[in-house]
Amino acid sequence: MATTSSRTPRTPDPLTLEVVELIGTVVARYYEEYDAAAGKHALTGAQARVLGLLSLEPLPMRRIAQKLKCEPSNITGIVDRLEVRGLVERRPDPADRRVKLAAPTDEGLTVARSLRDSLDFAREPLAELSREERLSLRALLRRMIGGDAG
């Protein structure tokens, strides 16, 4: 006989509902601004996010998919289109030559930097917070997602 949790689902309190709504608004506004910035470079939002991720370090397709929480086959198509544009290249992984890494080209790094510099939505409101408030916010967000990883 299967056991089920004896805990009954709780109805969220009004404060929790408001916080969830505010987080949703922040995320939606971030994606709107990111998509608009990507469009200025004739990129989709997904292409811009992949390029931004690769500007930090070259990655295999599977790792990109894990970080962006999507299917590896989707990443292959995105990387293909970025490669055609000359923004990304595939290269062997020095640690395992059987694995291919997606890496930004010099032009890709320039575009990624331009995208990052044009995102004011998050940067401007965060600048109004003190360093201590930003550290607290970072700690709370890390706690919410279940870890202290940077």
Side-chain angles (χ1 to χ4, degrees), residues 8-82:
T8 57
R10 293 186 316 174
T11 302
D13 62 277
L15 176 59
T16 298
L17 291 173
E18 181 181 2
V19 170
V20 168
E21 182 71 24
L22 289 168
I23 290 171
T25 300
V26 168
V27 169
R29 288 172 73 186
Y30 173 80
Y31 276 113
E32 286 171 16
E33 184 172 321
Y34 208 93
D35 288 346
K40 292 177 184 172
H41 294 279
L43 296 171
T44 65
Q47 290 170 334
R49 284 184 279 285
V50 168
L51 187 58
L53 186 60
L54 292 176
S55 72
L56 303 174
E57 65 177 319
L59 294 168
M61 305 296 176
R62 185 172 310 283
R63 187 71 184 121
I64 299 167
Q66 289 170 341
K67 285 183 174 274
L68 296 181
K69 310 227 181 311
C70 64
E71 291 296 317
S73 60
N74 292 343
I75 297 303
T76 299
I78 291 169
V79 169
D80 287 345
R81 289 185 287 284
L82 290 171

Side-chain angles (χ1 to χ4, degrees), residues 59-118:
L59 294 168
M61 305 296 176
R62 185 172 310 283
R63 187 71 184 121
I64 299 167
Q66 289 170 341
K67 285 183 174 274
L68 296 181
K69 310 227 181 311
C70 64
E71 291 296 317
S73 60
N74 292 343
I75 297 303
T76 299
I78 291 169
V79 169
D80 287 345
R81 289 185 287 284
L82 290 171
E83 192 171 32
V84 166
R85 294 266 315 269
L87 301 175
V88 167
E89 64 185 12
R90 287 177 169 92
R91 56 174 83 142
D93 183 342
D96 183 349
R97 302 204 44 90
R98 297 169 296 174
V99 175
K100 292 286 186 189
L101 300 177
T105 62
D106 289 341
E107 183 181 355
L109 286 172
T110 299
V111 171
R113 191 174 307 111
S114 176
L115 280 163
R116 199 170 20 256
D117 291 346
S118 69

